[in-house]
Amino acid sequence: MNRDLTSYRKSYDKLVLDETTVPSSPFQLFSDWFKEVEAVGGVEEANAMTLTTTDQDGYPKGRIVLLKHYDDQGFVFYTNYTSEKGKAMQYNTKVCLSFFWPNLERQVIIKGTVAKLSEADSTAYFHSRPRGSQLGAWASQQSSIITDRNVLENALADLEKQYPEGTTIPKPSFWGGYCVTPLTFEFWQGRPNRLHDRIRYQSMQTDNWDIERLSP
C-alpha cells in the first residue's frame, strides 16, 4: 500500500475571524457558529464531535459522539458508563471536544473536565429517545468483545419480547449523560495561504475569559 496525497490542495477563503469583534463569551460565539453551520447546510450532523479521552495506558483516543445539549454550563452527550470511553473518563476527567464544519471551513476545539449528569436528567433524556435506541442501549454491552453480530440481534429480539409496544423501557443503570465544563475554547477559521485565524478563549478565576490570537 503506497499512495501519495501531497497533491491534495484546498484554498480556504470563505470567512474571517477577528479577535477585535468576537463576543466576550465563547459560549455565544459557539452558538453563533453552530446556527450558521446549520443555516448554510451541507453538514448532515452539525452536532457530531470528536471526544478525546486518555486511558490508564496513557494513549489518547478520539471517537465521534453526538452533542445533545449546550448552554453556558457546558456540553452534554450520552453513552454507556462501562464503555471504553466511560472507563477512561472515570480514570481521567480531562477531555477534549473537537468540531469540524467544512461547509464554513471552521473548527472548534474545547478542553475541559467531564462529570456525569444527574440520574433524573439522564432518565428524562433516555425516555425521549426512539424506542429502538432505548432497546439498543440495553442490547449492547458497549466495548465488550462478542463473537458475531448475532449476539446483538438475538439480544434485541429478546428485549422486544420483554418490552412489547406500549410498555415503558427503564433506563439502564450503566447508561447516562455527561457534561463537559470548558476551560479553553479555540475557534479556527480557514484563511488563504494557510494563514488561518485562530482565536483562543481561556477561563479566568471569575466568569471572564481571556481572548488571544494564536499563530497558525
Side-chain angles (χ1 to χ4, degrees):
M1 180 177 64
N2 182 8
R3 187 178 177 191
D4 184 359
L5 302 178
T6 57
S7 62
Y8 271 41
R9 291 285 184 271
K10 174 178 171 58
S11 177
Y12 298 91
D13 51 17
K14 289 186 176 181
L15 296 163
V16 171
L17 180 61
D18 188 335
E19 69 275 17
T20 65
T21 60
V22 296
S24 59
S25 167
F27 295 101
Q28 183 61 57
L29 182 54
F30 180 89
S31 181
D32 292 343
W33 274 25
F34 194 92
K35 292 172 183 176
E36 289 170 10
V37 167
E38 288 182 302
V40 170
V43 174
E44 188 169 346
E45 291 182 304
N47 63 326
M49 60 185 183
T50 300
L51 166 68
T52 302
T53 60
T54 306
D55 208 339
Q56 294 185 52
D57 60 9
Y59 285 98
K61 181 175 181 179
R63 79 286 284 163
I64 303 298
V65 298
L66 296 178
L67 177 67
K68 289 300 179 179
H69 178 82
Y70 67 88
D71 57 27
D72 288 356
Q73 303 304 308
F75 296 79
V76 172
F77 63 95
Y78 296 83
T79 191
N80 187 310
Y81 294 147
T82 63
S83 65
E84 190 175 38
K85 58 182 173 293
K87 292 176 181 177
M89 289 186 291
Q90 183 176 3
Y91 168 72
N92 185 347
T93 61
K94 296 178 180 178
V95 300
C96 182
L97 304 176
S98 300
F99 296 83
F100 176 49
W101 296 316
N103 61 340
L104 290 180
E105 300 171 349
R106 287 173 170 172
Q107 297 182 63
V108 182
I109 301 170
I110 300 166
K111 291 194 293 185
T113 57
V114 67
K116 287 182 180 178
L117 294 184
S118 70
E119 189 70 7
D121 286 343
S122 292
T123 299
Y125 173 72
F126 181 80
H127 288 132
S128 74
R129 305 177 86 204
R131 188 174 183 81
S133 297
Q134 294 183 41
L135 293 174
W138 277 103
S140 173
Q141 300 301 311
Q142 196 175 116
S143 301
S144 63
I145 297 173
I146 57 177
T147 53
D148 55 39
R149 185 171 178 83
N150 288 332
V151 172
L152 298 175
E153 300 291 356
N154 293 338
L156 181 60
D158 290 343
L159 286 162
E160 288 172 338
K161 294 175 184 177
Q162 183 178 352
Y163 300 107
E165 286 289 342
T167 60
T168 299
I169 304 167
K171 183 190 79 66
S173 61
F174 53 81
W175 187 97
Y178 291 88
C179 181
V180 176
T181 301
L183 296 174
T184 68
F185 288 74
E186 181 184 328
F187 294 87
W188 183 100
Q189 177 66 63
R191 297 296 304 278
N193 304 314
R194 297 298 187 264
L195 296 179
H196 311 302
D197 290 329
R198 294 173 60 193
I199 304 300
R200 180 173 64 193
Y201 289 75
Q202 294 200 88
S203 179
M204 309 296 284
Q205 292 293 333
T206 62
D207 292 334
N208 295 325
W209 293 81
D210 187 32
I211 302 174
E212 304 167 307
R213 173 177 283 272
L214 303 178
S215 174

